[in-house]
Every structure is written in C-alpha cells, then in structure tokens.
Amino acid sequence: MAIKHFLQFSDFTLDEFEYVIERAHVIKRKFKNYEPYHPLEDRTLVMVFEKSSTRTRLSFEAGMHQLGGAAIYLNTRDSQLGRGEPVEDAAQVMSRMCDIIMIRTFGQDIIERFAANSRVPVINGLTNEHHPCQVLADVFTYLEQRGSIAGKTVAWIGDANNMLYSWLQAAKVFGFHVNVSTPAGYDIDSALVAADNDCYTVFPNPSDACQDADLVTTDVWTSMGFEEENAERLKAFDGWIVDSDKMKRARPDALFMHCLPAHRGEEVSADVIDGPQSVVWDEAENRLHVQKALLEFLVLGRIAA
Ligand code: CP
Ligand code: NVA
C-alpha cells in the first residue's frame, strides 16, 4: 500500500482534512483538560532540520511526547546529512528506525526524493516552496474563531513565498479566495501553482487586496535561505506593511494572521500584530494540536472514535 505523506497541502483531500481537523479539536480538548492521551506509545518521530526553528521543533517534539511517543532531533551541522550522504540513503536508513519523519529543508525536490525512499510517512516542516503544517494550523484557527472558511476572502500581502503557495493550495481544497499583492519583481511563480487553481486574484496595490477581506495575512519579506537579498527586499517591499489603514479596508471583523517570527515595522505594524484583530498566538499554539492530529492520522490512520 502506498505510504501517505504530507509534503504539500494538496496531498490531502478535503475529507482527510476534515477528519484531521475534527481529531485536532478532540486532541486539543484533551490537552486543555490535562487528560493523558498516548496513542503513539513506543512510536518515534525523527525531526530533521536544515534551517532554524522555534515553533516547528517545539510543537512536534512536545506533541510527540504528549502522544506517548519520542522525538529525535537531527540537524545538518552534526549529522552525516551535512557531510554529503545522499538524501536517498538517509531516507532508507532513518525510515528503518522510526515510525514517522518530519523534515525542514531547502528545495521541495529534497523532501520529495526523501519521501520516495522512505518506508514511513514524511511531513513537510517547511521548504522554500511550501509550509503546509502552518497553513493547516491557520485554517484551524480561522474555523475556531469564525466558523467555516469556505467562500471567505483571505488577503495575502507581501512576498510570494512558501506560506503563500500553501495558502493557494488550501484555497482550492477548502473553497475560499485569496487576494494576493506582492511588489513588482516578487510575483507568484506560476510553476508553483496548479494550472486549474482559479482561487486567487492578483492586486498591484496592497490596500486594494485588503478590501472586504475576512482575513489579512502576511509573512517576513526575507525568508530563510534568501538572507543576502535582505537590503534589496527592504526597499522593494516599502508600502507592503500591513498597518491599521490596510486593516480598515478589510471587513470590521477581519482577523490578522502571521506565521511568526515577525518583524514589527517591516511586514506588519505593532498596533496590528499586537491589536485586537490579531490571532497570532492562537496560530502558534494550534501548530501543536493540528500536528498531533496529523501524527496520529499518518501513523495510525483513521481511528474509531
Ligand atoms: N512559523 C514557524 O514555522 O516558526 P518556526 O520557524 O519557529 O518553526
Ligand atoms: N517564509 C518564512 C517562514 C518562517 C516560518 C521562511 O521560510 O523563512
């Protein structure tokens, strides 16, 4: 039987997401009630980080512990991964010793090659092209705060990066629309969007993209791996800050989201990220709950309620 991986958002059907989201609600409730829940006892998650992380490492490691299993952290600095061992060989070896693997790396091709050689499910913990776990947590956060996201409008203001591509895939699965505004020269790479994805509209002016939005979201202007472009990007993205003027163009009950870490005064003003419409701390916490549901689903499949 083919192994189920979560390498990009479009890897799951709506039905699978609905199941995982339902489990995330149950698992979150248990956590809040201090109710032990150990379906992954004796199971091991291996986490491979080729880039820095706070939230992703913590949520996967704490989550696996809370599910009764163990998590092992590897990085490229002190494992053979940083010394040229082929990805295919690493996948063969690691997947014989654990039950599930999470990887944060550079190109999506790396995680695809790893998964093709893995005996166990592989989860994308961020690549240059996708960040599906974060968008799953964000969709879950929207559902908690406002109910169904189907038919809603999400405004994406800023860089055409991994978060945007996962949002565009989520829009297709959940049936919402994304208003995208990126500065000239930082446009969407159409090779990273499915040809049949008609769930987004591009706006040259970021304020226009926020008009009547139900959710306004942004991310850093310089993602990990692109640090040498930082000075140039600071100039190009001038005007793409999500500030209170842009939030005023959105619906009065619009939410603000940011996957974090954030730079106040660059992509978002302090009054917006620290203001009443911001749900950034819930997004961060929900990484824990949705990923526990994801781990449970990928290791055990659908369980009897
Ligand atoms: N949002 C997110 O993935 O954060 P980390 O880089 O801290 O894991
Ligand atoms: N787009 C950002 C997300 C960090 C969680 C990056 O890739 O660095």
Side-chain angles (χ1 to χ4, degrees), residues 28 31-32 54-55 58-59 134 137-138 140-142 144-145 255-264 268-289:
K28 180 170 183 174
F31 177 79
K32 296 290 178 187
T54 298
R55 280 144 287 266
L58 187 55
S59 53
Q134 180 69 54
D138 294 355
F140 181 84
T141 304
Y142 189 90
E144 275 190 329
Q145 300 278 339
L255 298 175
F256 171 77
M257 290 192 188
H258 189 310
C259 68
L260 306 176
H263 301 80
R264 287 168 178 76
V268 60
S269 62
D271 61 335
V272 168
I273 194 168
D274 299 320
Q277 289 169 281
S278 173
V279 290
V280 296
W281 313 128
D282 293 293
E283 285 177 82
E285 179 190 327
N286 283 333
R287 291 291 300 278
L288 175 71
H289 309 303

Side-chain angles (χ1 to χ4, degrees), residues 29-275:
R29 218 158 31 237
K30 289 183 193 294
F31 177 79
K32 296 290 178 187
N33 291 334
Y34 301 98
E35 193 184 317
Y37 180 58
H38 296 155
L40 299 187
E41 197 178 347
D42 288 335
R43 307 296 185 122
T44 307
L45 164 72
V46 167
M47 306 183 295
V48 179
F49 283 91
E50 297 207 76
K51 292 176 178 172
S52 304
S53 170
T54 298
R55 280 144 287 266
T56 303
R57 176 177 177 183
L58 187 55
S59 53
F60 271 106
E61 194 162 335
M64 196 63 192
H65 173 73
Q66 290 160 17
L67 292 171
I72 296 173
Y73 170 81
L74 294 178
N75 64 43
T76 28
R77 285 183 299 282
D78 53 22
S79 72
Q80 299 291 4
L81 283 166
R83 300 183 61 252
E85 181 166 16
V87 169
E88 290 79 3
D89 293 4
Q92 291 281 356
V93 172
M94 284 182 201
S95 67
R96 285 180 182 229
M97 298 188 196
C98 67
D99 301 279
I100 186 158
I101 298 169
M102 185 244 88
I103 305 181
R104 169 168 286 195
T105 186
F106 293 90
Q108 184 72 10
D109 60 307
I110 298 173
I111 201 167
E112 302 275 356
R113 282 163 51 209
F114 191 102
N117 288 276
S118 173
R119 290 184 168 196
V120 300
V122 178
I123 298 173
N124 182 344
L126 181 147
T127 56
N128 290 348
E129 294 87 349
H130 300 283
H131 197 4
C133 292
Q134 180 69 54
V135 173
L136 179 56
D138 294 355
V139 168
F140 181 84
T141 304
Y142 189 90
L143 299 176
E144 275 190 329
Q145 300 278 339
R146 296 282 185 268
S148 174
I149 197 167
K152 302 291 183 188
T153 299
V154 174
W156 174 271
I157 309 301
D159 191 21
N161 66 13
N162 41 17
M163 282 295 297
L164 171 60
Y165 295 115
S166 290
W167 271 113
L168 295 181
Q169 293 190 346
K172 184 85 183 151
V173 177
F174 284 94
F176 59 87
H177 199 81
V178 188
N179 289 348
V180 181
S181 183
T182 61
Y186 295 88
D187 316 285
I188 292 177
D189 178 352
S190 57
L192 294 178
V193 184
D196 67 346
N197 191 331
D198 53 1
C199 299
Y200 68 99
T201 307
V202 173
F203 290 81
N205 180 322
S207 299
D208 293 344
C210 295
Q211 188 66 42
D212 295 329
D214 299 284
L215 164 61
V216 178
T217 185
T218 186
D219 186 14
V220 291
W221 290 342
T222 304
S223 285
M224 291 180 280
F226 297 85
E227 288 80 0
E228 61 197 33
E229 299 174 14
N230 195 37
E232 198 183 312
R233 283 170 171 268
L234 276 175
K235 281 191 230 139
F237 283 74
D238 187 29
W240 266 261
I241 185 171
V242 176
D243 56 14
S244 54
D245 286 340
K246 290 193 187 68
M247 288 304 292
K248 281 190 197 114
R249 296 281 299 267
R251 295 177 72 88
D253 66 344
L255 298 175
F256 171 77
M257 290 192 188
H258 189 310
C259 68
L260 306 176
H263 301 80
R264 287 168 178 76
E266 290 185 20
E267 74 273 9
V268 60
S269 62
D271 61 335
V272 168
I273 194 168
D274 299 320

